[in-house]
Amino acid sequence: MADPIRTQVLVVGGGPGGYVAAIRASQLGLDTVLIEVDRLGGTCLIRGCIPSKALIHVAGQFEAMVRATGQGVHGIVLNAPPSIALSETVRWKEGVVDKLNAGVAALLKRAKVRVIKGWATFSNGKTCSVDTAEGKLEVTAEHVILANGSLPVALPNIPFGGPVISSTEALMLDALPRRLVVIGAGYIGLELGIALRKLGAEVTIVEALDRILPLYDPPLVEPVRRWLEKNGVTVHLEAKALSVERIGDSAHLIAETKQGTKRLPADKILVTVGRRPNTQGWGLESMAVDMDGRFVKTDDQCRTSMRNVWAVGDLVGEPMLEHKATKQGEMVAEIIAGHRRRFEPASIPAVCFTEPEIVNAGLLPSDKAAKDAVVTLFPFSANGRALSMDAAEGFVRIVSRKDNHRILGIQAVGAHVSELSGEFSLALEMGAVLEDIAGTIHVHPTLGEAFHEAAWRALGQPIHI
Ligand code: FAD
Ligand code: FAD
């Protein structure tokens, strides 16, 4: 074994939580080692956020061309329908991933973080051995930041393999499945199911609960439901996926639906029933940290129950989102460097990159704490920019306090609304009241004007509705 490495900060996991923690720690003058077994960038860059959004982008362009075929749309006429070479799409997507992966490596190098490629296994709270291509290495640190991330959940009776795939394989398909069955109508299943439908697959969704995207309230989800209906996606609600019958390369999914047991034919079955924290196989047991259900338990500074062992990102709980992981990673590095920080965001905004997109920041009208709040909505059908993009569906909604007009929550559903999420979060983080938004000049014509107008409407003085 090579000489043991001693460092001030050891980060395990090169996903968004880990690599951001490592860069910040090193920037703040702490000697930092990062261990990653796979490619730098983690789930998000390599097999999650970025590749899924690349596929969604291509699917949107393809669908627009399909719509322009024959009769044409807005005067654009394609004489023949487009075709898709999915392997080329995947190759382009890999190029985007490679660029970001190389970018993360360069940032770590510039920050002088020592990166070790290998699998870390802890023998106690501050020491791990790393299996590298060159042999074993021992690393001991004053502070350990755990950022081991999460993995797709498998259904016990429908294990991954053959036609049964997770989001990881769905982002690497070299040919379009003719028939796709998606189990689980959460955001990952819907984003990928919608993209593959746009590319031409026949898509069936099986969801155990009585609605899609169960975390959001029905009005917010309704435009997505309508899109699925209009585009021939069959959705079985209150339906349970039971088992798979394999027939050569394809399969039947056996599902208990409201209409009885169904055999749903599929070339691929995409299982998106959630993600679980990656807590096994790396000696977490020997670190003796407390757990909070499936997750590593942390406080509002991301401290675990063991001194100087910290944990961030998907490993520590919901919501399992990239921007939560990075914020926690950055914060922990600063606390170790002596800064006073706490993880107490006004909101962790979330976006579903569905068709149309959904944004939520802060409280939903259905949240208990919003019981007495005023809920105001401005429809995109009255927004010039939305109409000019032929995207009149959807709205911006504000949840505000009756007494002092403080904004508690902001939601939107519609085309491109993901880009409004920054303004929504800023408003909540700054403690904005309705008058702040109504008094801010918003560029015309933009979708953001719908936020401005919703604030005026909540104040009882709308101009454009
Ligand atoms: P991860 O990104 O999972 O990184 C953990 C890393 O640790 C991995 O690279 C792993 O190899 C490494 N590791 C684990 N154990 C060890 C060990 N013992 N030794 C060495 N290395 C180890 N979030 C969003 O905010 N927006 C989105 O649009 C979005 N889209 C998504 C789409 C899909 C299809 C998926 C699957 C996820 C998506 N997410 C999205 C979620 C996002 O990817 C995660 O929240 C984020 O990656 C969590 O970051 P993390 O650093 O906690 O963990
Ligand atoms: P999920 O969203 O978990 O969806 C899986 C779906 O599969 C569920 O609807 C479930 O009913 C269904 N299902 C399970 N088993 C079966 C079966 N056998 N047959 C049929 N259907 C089945 N995400 C966000 O995007 N934004 C947030 O703000 C956010 N906040 C969260 C807050 C909390 C308290 C929790 C618990 C989760 C939150 N999440 C949020 C979700 C999140 O972070 C998950 O990582 C993410 O939802 C995983 O995506 P998914 O699509 O794979 O699974």
Side-chain angles (χ1 to χ4, degrees), residues 215-227:
L215 282 175
Y216 300 104
D217 59 283
L220 207 51
V221 172
E222 178 57 18
V224 178
R225 193 202 63 73
R226 268 205 298 273
W227 188 93

Side-chain angles (χ1 to χ4, degrees), residues 66-390:
V66 170
R67 276 193 288 123
T69 309
Q71 297 276 322
V73 61
H74 311 144
I76 301 173
V77 181
L78 295 188
N79 295 324
S83 61
I84 182 85
L86 200 59
S87 56
E88 281 303 308
T89 308
V90 168
R91 209 190 346 218
W92 167 74
K93 179 241 11 175
E94 280 306 314
V96 176
V97 168
D98 289 349
K99 228 178 252 166
L100 290 168
N101 165 256
V104 171
L107 291 172
L108 286 161
K109 193 169 171 198
R110 195 172 70 197
K112 299 195 170 48
V113 174
R114 275 186 286 173
V115 176
I116 301 173
K117 188 170 171 68
W119 182 255
T121 308
F122 282 83
S123 48
N124 65 50
K126 307 286 161 38
T127 310
C128 70
S129 81
V130 192
D131 279 312
T132 73
E134 293 78 39
K136 271 196 192 307
L137 260 179
E138 192 179 273
V139 184
T140 302
E142 290 164 30
H143 291 268
V144 171
I145 304 177
L146 300 173
N148 305 62
S150 65
L151 300 165
V153 168
L155 290 168
N157 296 336
I158 309 175
F160 292 122
V164 181
I165 58 173
S166 73
S167 54
T168 305
E169 293 77 37
L171 292 165
M172 299 190 319
L173 293 170
D174 55 9
L176 189 71
R178 190 166 67 77
R179 298 157 310 177
L180 173 78
V181 172
V182 180
I183 308 177
Y187 86 96
I188 294 176
L190 282 179
E191 286 186 8
L192 296 175
I194 288 173
L196 291 170
R197 175 69 199 123
K198 287 183 177 179
L199 292 173
E202 287 169 26
V203 177
T204 303
I205 297 174
V206 174
E207 165 57 50
L209 299 180
D210 61 359
R211 56 199 173 98
I212 60 167
L213 293 173
L215 282 175
Y216 300 104
D217 59 283
L220 207 51
V221 172
E222 178 57 18
V224 178
R225 193 202 63 73
R226 268 205 298 273
W227 188 93
L228 295 172
E229 190 176 77
K230 203 167 130 198
N231 288 274
V233 175
T234 308
V235 181
H236 293 286
L237 298 175
E238 296 178 77
K240 207 145 178 74
L242 299 177
S243 59
V244 171
E245 269 176 21
R246 297 278 292 269
I247 318 152
D249 278 347
S250 61
H252 277 108
L253 177 77
I254 314 300
E256 192 61 51
T257 74
K258 284 188 278 186
Q259 295 85 37
T261 306
K262 281 203 184 287
R263 297 171 80 240
L264 304 170
D267 301 302
K268 294 284 179 213
I269 296 172
L270 170 61
V271 179
T272 48
V273 294
R275 295 184 58 83
R276 61 179 173 85
N278 180 9
T279 50
Q280 279 154 18
W282 50 271
L284 179 61
E285 327 67 68
S286 60
M287 300 180 89
V289 300
D290 287 351
M291 300 298 287
D292 178 8
R294 304 175 301 157
F295 296 102
V296 170
K297 186 173 179 183
T298 51
D299 65 9
D300 62 0
Q301 292 187 307
C302 289
R303 291 176 197 272
T304 69
S305 56
M306 172 162 282
R307 226 176 123 247
N308 295 346
V309 175
W310 314 73
V312 301
D314 285 6
L315 190 64
V316 305
E318 301 284 0
M320 294 197 224
L321 295 172
E322 193 271 0
H323 37 283
K324 184 202 73 174
T326 54
K327 212 67 215 134
Q328 289 181 331
E330 177 193 303
M331 174 193 76
V332 167
E334 291 182 2
I335 295 172
I336 294 173
H339 300 199
R340 290 164 72 92
R341 292 282 310 272
R342 257 172 223 294
F343 188 70
E344 42 189 5
S347 84
I348 303 175
V351 172
C352 299
F353 291 82
T354 40
E355 183 60 61
E357 294 176 347
I358 298 177
V359 181
N360 178 38
L363 295 185
L364 289 161
S366 50
D367 287 328
K368 249 200 215 125
K371 192 164 58 73
D372 300 320
V374 175
V375 179
T376 319
L377 179 153
F378 188 85
F380 283 124
S381 57
N383 173 276
R385 179 66 177 143
L387 290 173
S388 71
M389 296 193 296
D390 192 11

Side-chain angles (χ1 to χ4, degrees), residues 400-412:
S400 58
R401 277 177 64 143
K402 206 182 281 178
D403 52 358
N404 59 9
H405 298 176
R406 176 82 179 261
I407 298 177
L408 303 173
I410 313 158
Q411 294 85 38

